[in-house]
Amino acid sequence: MKVEEVKKSLRGSIAPIITPFHEDESLDLETLKRLIDWHIQSGSHGISVTGTTGEPSSLTLKERELVMETAIKAVNKRVPIVPGTGSTNHQESLHLTKLAQEMGADAAMVIVPYYNKPSQHALYKHFKLIADSVDIPLIIYNIPGRTAVNLEVKTLARLNEDCPNIIGVKESNKDFEHINRVLLHCGRDFLLYSGIELLCYPMLAIGGAGYISATANVLPSKVAEVYNAWDSGNVEEALKLHYDLMPLNDVLFKDTNPAPLKAALGMMGRINPTLRMPMDLPTESLQKEIRAVLADYGLVEKIGSEV
């Protein structure tokens, strides 16, 4: 798809799918395919892999390539697919973004490099070099809580002006003033996605294109329905769904993502709940809390005295 076509299609709930592993921590690509089918059948408007939720820093470069390839083939153009192609290494980010284009991804999501804390000048250069090297549309991923550096609005606006294929940003940023200024300075047609669950609905209200919410891994249909209700003009229904999802959002972030997600999906029988060290499943007490919340949503059976 051309850039303008992608901008029209890439809206709503873009589900950032976990990377499933076998018990021995090898990739479970058959389960990945099943998850993708489930998401599309459940109404997710797009698919993303190898973002934060997909544990990319625990994958080898070859594994990231394999997950991207598997996902792109599994989606098979049914919905847009946006793999995460960024890392702390510039050349690796460049390689993965070029590969995503060659594989037929609709867009690529490139994270602000983590750990090394580049300056705004360096961030501009990093993203511009990647954008100039490909034709594929790019979504920048700004998540200062993970990267220890915030991509400032003026830097993003400069990139938007200088790089026609930078079409949007995923803001996992609790500074809602910053988020408002993104659209002010980048234009109302710039695609703004929420990466923070409690800001998915508010982001739509200020002109956002949708969200890339980890909670979609557990309840994809309801997460997608928030956007559907908003898009159809049913603001009250969208707001109701926003609050209905809040208890689930809260419990899924009581430990570092995606540990609670994988525990929840394991309880639901969707995956083998394995993470790679240094990540691990939540404590037993938190897992009990997760199960209780899942039971409230009818996603698992109530146990013990809850029956």
Side-chain angles (χ1 to χ4, degrees):
M1 285 192 283
K2 295 180 180 179
V3 170
E4 288 306 315
E5 292 175 347
V6 173
K7 288 184 75 170
K8 290 178 182 177
S9 68
L10 204 55
R11 295 175 178 273
S13 174
I14 314 300
I17 297 181
I18 59 102
T19 299
F21 300 126
H22 293 291
E23 211 166 313
D24 65 0
E25 298 188 7
S26 61
L27 293 177
D28 185 352
L29 298 177
E30 291 305 313
T31 294
L32 177 63
K33 294 175 191 176
R34 287 196 295 272
L35 289 174
I36 287 170
D37 285 341
W38 175 50
H39 274 275
I40 294 174
Q41 292 160 9
S42 299
S44 292
H45 304 100
I47 299 294
S48 182
V49 292
T50 58
T52 301
T53 303
E55 298 175 75
S57 58
S58 296
L59 303 177
T60 67
L61 183 60
K62 290 297 181 184
E63 285 175 328
R64 289 188 67 171
E65 294 172 2
L66 189 54
V67 170
M68 286 199 312
E69 181 182 29
T70 301
I72 290 167
K73 287 180 177 177
V75 169
N76 194 26
K77 301 188 182 301
R78 289 178 287 173
V79 296
I81 178 162
V82 188
T85 59
S87 80
T88 192
N89 181 294
H90 175 75
Q91 291 300 324
E92 188 174 285
S93 301
L94 199 61
H95 167 74
L96 288 170
T97 307
K98 288 179 178 179
L99 195 61
Q101 176 171 290
E102 292 169 13
M103 289 177 175
D106 296 287
M109 184 170 64
V110 188
I111 194 170
V112 170
Y114 37 92
Y115 180 74
N116 41 27
K117 297 179 68 175
S119 67
Q120 295 300 307
H121 168 74
L123 286 172
Y124 172 84
K125 188 175 180 181
H126 168 72
F127 286 116
K128 181 148 191 325
L129 286 169
I130 293 173
D132 288 348
S133 73
V134 294
D135 298 318
I136 193 171
L138 301 181
I139 296 167
I140 293 177
Y141 180 13
N142 188 30
I143 179 168
R146 293 262 191 173
T147 63
V149 62
N150 183 44
L151 181 67
E152 294 177 5
V153 173
K154 63 182 181 181
T155 308
L156 184 59
R158 187 180 169 205
L159 285 164
N160 178 48
E161 183 176 346
D162 295 347
C163 308
N165 58 332
I166 291 181
I167 63 170
V169 64
K170 175 185 176 182
E171 284 283 358
S172 293
N173 193 330
K174 293 184 178 180
D175 183 351
F176 206 59
E177 290 185 14
H178 165 103
I179 291 167
N180 276 264
R181 291 192 175 97
V182 167
L183 290 183
L184 175 65
H185 293 285
C186 294
R188 296 276 295 278
D189 63 339
F190 195 65
L191 301 182
L192 174 65
Y193 304 93
S194 177
I196 293 186
E197 279 57 32
L198 296 192
L199 296 184
C200 289
Y201 172 84
M203 203 83 93
L204 296 175
I206 65 168
Y211 37 83
I212 305 171
S213 167
T215 303
N217 280 273
V218 172
L219 201 51
S221 57
K222 200 159 192 171
V223 173
E225 284 169 14
V226 176
Y227 180 83
N228 293 339
W230 173 267
D231 191 49
S232 67
N234 194 342
V235 175
E236 284 303 316
E237 177 64 13
L239 190 58
K240 175 185 178 297
L241 290 165
H242 167 71
Y243 284 107
D244 285 349
L245 283 165
M246 201 172 291
L248 182 60
N249 288 330
D250 285 346
V251 80
L252 290 177
F253 285 86
K254 288 194 172 184
D255 193 354
T256 303
N257 181 44
L261 281 182
K262 284 199 160 181
L265 287 167
M267 294 171 196
M268 294 164 61
R270 294 280 176 188
I271 67 166
N272 173 53
T274 298
L275 296 96
R276 287 181 176 174
M277 295 298 287
M279 299 294 289
D280 198 7
L281 288 171
T283 61
E284 188 175 331
S285 61
L286 180 52
Q287 290 195 50
K288 288 180 180 177
E289 188 177 347
I290 291 168
R291 177 175 283 280
V293 172
L294 294 179
D296 289 340
Y297 284 84
L299 297 172
V300 298
E301 291 186 4
K302 294 189 176 183
I303 57 174
S305 61
E306 297 176 331
V307 174

